[in-house]
Amino acid sequence: MTRRTGYIPALHFGWLAPAYDPVMMFLMRERFFKHLLIQRADIRPGHTVLDLACGTATLTIMIKRSQPSATVIGIDGDEGILAIARRKTQRSGCELRLDKGFATALPYPEESFDRVLTSLAMHHLTSEDKRLAMKEIKRVLRRTGWLHIADFGPPIGVYARAIALLLRRLEPVEDNYRGMLPVMMQEVGLVDVNATDKVATVFGTLYLYQGVKPA
Ligand SMILES: C[S@@+](CC[C@H](N)C(=O)[O-])C[C@H]1O[C@@H](n2cnc3c(N)ncnc32)[C@H](O)[C@@H]1O
């Protein structure tokens, strides 16, 4: 299945987009795992940071608030979700840029970013598109720049395995469950790849992965 310029919307159906933030807040321990992701990313003053597949821009805004002198850009393929993100960004008073574009063809020159963060997006991509997206991320990262991913991984425990049966039917999450995200990161040439954290949520076990583009 190829989906280079298409996308699966945030809650699978575009019409559910307005429900996305409440679902995330109440069911996904969103603040907790996104704070952890930002902490792992160790974003420094002056860094340029990409939030890939930013959705409603919750993480994008959190990144900017955590490091106000960083240049922060969010990108997503869905104009509908970006409209929500733009309203939220305006209300937040944060200065950040939101672009429309696809993970598989990022509209940025090589070596543009010190950090790329991406949350709950990889499991929306086909295997082929995951690989293309990883290549694109490596291309736009500066040398010694880090990729930080928060997404589903191998389910831990009976509950997570049961919920995985359902998610498998909805989204191309099989690579995640088979532990392929860190493998794909290594395949494109990122090094020091590891899983730093595992977070239990209503929709399954989230993993935080990181890897660096060699000098
Ligand atoms: C589950 S949401 C996650 C949103 C946000 N990162 C978060 O953590 O709340 C997945 C997002 O990925 C976006 N997406 C899916 N496929 C994409 C692609 N190929 N390129 C860019 N964005 C994509 C969807 O539009 C959606 O906003």
Side-chain angles (χ1 to χ4, degrees):
M1 183 170 41
T2 305
R3 189 178 285 112
R4 299 213 177 164
T5 53
Y7 60 88
I8 299 177
L11 278 181
H12 200 78
F13 302 107
W15 54 271
L16 280 177
Y20 184 74
D21 278 350
V23 167
M24 286 298 291
M25 198 187 320
F26 294 117
L27 301 181
M28 283 298 290
R29 304 177 68 192
E30 180 182 35
R31 292 275 154 185
F32 174 72
F33 85 78
K34 286 182 178 173
H35 271 303
L36 199 51
L37 190 69
I38 290 170
Q39 205 178 312
R40 295 293 176 209
D42 188 25
I43 296 161
R44 307 278 172 85
H47 269 176
T48 303
V49 183
L50 181 66
D51 177 10
L52 176 61
C54 63
T56 58
T58 306
L59 177 65
T60 333
I61 292 168
M62 288 171 72
I63 294 168
K64 183 68 183 176
R65 285 189 172 144
S66 78
Q67 188 53 267
S69 81
T71 300
V72 183
I73 300 175
I75 186 169
D76 200 283
D78 180 355
E79 193 52 66
I81 206 92
L82 281 173
I84 298 175
R86 289 200 178 94
R87 286 196 293 274
K88 252 170 82 174
T89 302
Q90 213 165 16
R91 280 199 304 273
S92 75
C94 286
E95 258 186 54
L96 47 86
R97 196 170 109 200
L98 296 172
D99 293 335
K100 179 170 186 289
F102 291 99
T104 48
L106 293 173
Y108 309 113
E110 282 179 23
E111 308 204 354
S112 303
F113 297 97
D114 301 287
R115 300 284 185 269
V116 175
L117 278 65
T118 185
S119 149
L120 295 174
M122 286 293 159
H123 76 276
H124 280 231
L125 307 180
T126 63
S127 304
E128 189 185 352
D129 283 359
K130 283 184 187 78
R131 289 194 166 85
L132 283 173
M134 297 273 189
K135 276 189 194 160
E136 278 294 85
I137 291 166
K138 187 189 171 210
R139 180 182 68 77
V140 302
L141 268 175
R142 296 195 174 122
R143 286 163 204 280
T144 74
W146 285 83
L147 165 63
H148 295 267
I149 297 179
D151 212 325
F152 298 110
I156 297 173
V158 178
Y159 174 79
R161 283 200 293 279
I163 207 78
L165 296 175
L166 178 69
L167 262 179
R168 270 192 178 101
R169 291 173 165 269
L170 292 174
E171 280 162 10
V173 72
E174 197 56 41
D175 295 316
N176 295 52
Y177 291 155
R178 290 195 299 122
M180 289 303 289
L181 291 187
V183 175
M184 289 175 175
M185 290 166 76
Q186 282 165 331
E187 278 172 0
V188 297
L190 298 180
V191 299
D192 292 343
V193 173
N194 62 90
T196 54
D197 306 273
K198 294 167 194 159
V199 180
T201 76
V202 169
F203 289 111
T205 317
L206 281 189
Y207 285 63
L208 269 53
Y209 297 109
Q210 61 183 26
V212 63
K213 178 165 169 172

